[in-house]
Amino acid sequence: MVGAGISTPSGIPDFRSPGSGLYSNLRQYDLPYPEAIFELTFFFHNPKPFFTLAKELNPGHYRPNAAHYFLRLLHEKGLLLRLYTQNIDGLERASGIPASKLVEAHGSFASATCTVCRRPSPGEGFWADVMADRIPRCPVCTGIVKPDIVFFGEPLPQRFLLHVVDFPMADLLLILGTSLEVEPFASLSEAVRSSVPRLLINRDLVGSLAWSPRSQDVVQLGDVVQGVEMLVELLGWTAELQDLIQREMGKLGGRDG
Ligand code: APR
């Protein structure tokens, strides 16, 4: 289970870190309150703030970091049952984790839908408008096209229901870079069997690991990349992870995330 904290090392602000989090830096959007940027009623009233944010978050601008590539390495080793992410930045896909192993619980920018006639909209047209500061509109009915990001109050993608099978099967739960503030995602942290260890790697102690700790919980507080690198070292996978990152960075042709 991961959240925005695994993408801050890639340069994407999280939501709730005091000062640096997105919700502390929305003053220029003139919102009634920060979360309005992800609310449908506000979006239909004024879609500009969301699309300005979308332009900033444009997936092409960022690269995965060691936390993403650690999760990719787990997959390569046949140890990743599923990765549940709240992130909409697409960095899990960019790290090479196959869609079959991913549940993007809060959606992603990978697809977009007309808010009026519900026609799917091709990504390239959508991004051309967003990057040119135009509100993307449906070519058929001229309704506003919204990326398939889950706004507050909207249903989560069907794939989220995989948790009903996955979590009872898991024999280890990793929780990386999330405040565990948003439901129903946060409750997944309680969905593993009581005998299953839960490892939290996060700047602060959060969610049920704070208010309902279990005997098998392990908590590594601090920077998520440092915490992951300590775990990788203990596993003896440091060289493998570095090789993977070098190979993938070469493919992405980008600076080290
Ligand atoms: N290392 C370790 N922890 C970090 C780092 C880092 N480099 N950067 C941030 N964190 C921690 C923060 O301290 C915080 O506990 O990650 C957590 C991020 O929490 P949020 O900003 O609330 O992000 P997230 O948990 O993903 O938010 C959940 O809220 O607004 C909605 O839909 C949005 O998906 C989002 C959901």
Side-chain angles (χ1 to χ4, degrees):
M1 297 174 65
V2 302
I6 70 161
S7 292
T8 55
S10 294
I12 303 175
D14 67 9
F15 294 92
R16 294 175 179 83
S17 280
S20 60
L22 182 79
Y23 289 156
S24 318
N25 293 286
L26 292 169
R27 270 175 293 286
Q28 76 268 35
Y29 295 123
D30 189 24
L31 298 168
Y33 45 87
E35 285 82 354
I37 202 160
F38 292 120
E39 286 188 352
L40 281 177
T41 38
F42 185 83
F43 178 80
F44 289 127
H45 162 69
N46 176 9
K48 197 84 189 93
F50 173 77
F51 284 116
T52 307
L53 173 68
K55 182 176 178 183
E56 264 185 49
L57 287 177
N58 181 338
H61 290 172
Y62 301 95
R63 296 281 178 265
N65 62 63
H68 298 97
Y69 286 118
F70 163 65
L71 297 166
R72 160 79 186 276
L73 190 57
L74 284 179
H75 165 61
E76 298 297 329
K77 289 176 173 289
L79 296 171
L80 180 68
L81 174 57
R82 199 90 62 197
L83 171 56
Y84 286 72
T85 182
Q86 300 168 92
N87 298 343
I88 58 177
D89 53 40
L91 291 184
E92 299 88 357
R93 290 180 192 225
S95 75
I97 295 171
S100 62
K101 285 294 176 78
L102 259 183
V103 172
E104 293 165 317
H106 294 169
S108 85
F109 282 102
S111 57
T113 306
C114 173
T115 55
V116 174
C117 68
R118 309 305 299 163
R119 279 185 178 79
S121 163
E124 50 286 344
F126 167 82
W127 278 112
D129 287 335
V130 170
M131 298 315 286
D133 297 320
R134 290 189 301 267
I135 304 291
R137 293 219 170 250
C138 174
V140 177
C141 77
T142 73
I144 297 177
V145 172
K146 171 180 140 331
D148 295 336
I149 304 289
V150 179
F151 276 38
F152 288 112
E154 283 192 302
L156 270 61
Q158 284 285 324
R159 271 182 70 79
F160 182 71
L161 292 174
L162 282 171
H163 75 78
V164 174
V165 178
D166 289 340
F167 278 73
M169 272 173 61
D171 50 19
L172 170 66
L173 179 61
L174 299 179
I175 305 172
L176 311 179
T178 177
S179 61
L180 290 179
E181 290 268 340
V182 173
E183 296 297 357
F185 189 90
S187 296
L188 292 181
S189 63
E190 302 258 66
V192 290
R193 287 166 287 132
S194 56
S195 59
V196 170
R198 302 185 301 179
L199 167 60
L200 172 72
I201 303 180
N202 199 59
R203 193 171 289 138
D204 23 56
L205 187 60
V206 292
S208 62
L209 286 100
W211 43 259
S212 168
R214 296 179 180 181
S215 59
Q216 298 260 52
D217 287 350
V218 176
V219 174
Q220 168 62 38
L221 297 184
D223 178 75
V224 66
V225 168
Q226 283 173 15
V228 160
E229 286 172 345
M230 282 165 64
L231 174 61
V232 163
E233 180 63 27
L234 287 170
L235 290 163
W237 297 352
T238 301
E240 274 178 277
L241 180 62
Q242 284 167 354
D243 290 347
L244 175 63
I245 293 174
Q246 290 307 320
R247 277 200 313 275
E248 292 299 316
M249 279 298 152
K251 281 186 217 165
L252 291 173
R255 52 184 167 71
D256 193 356

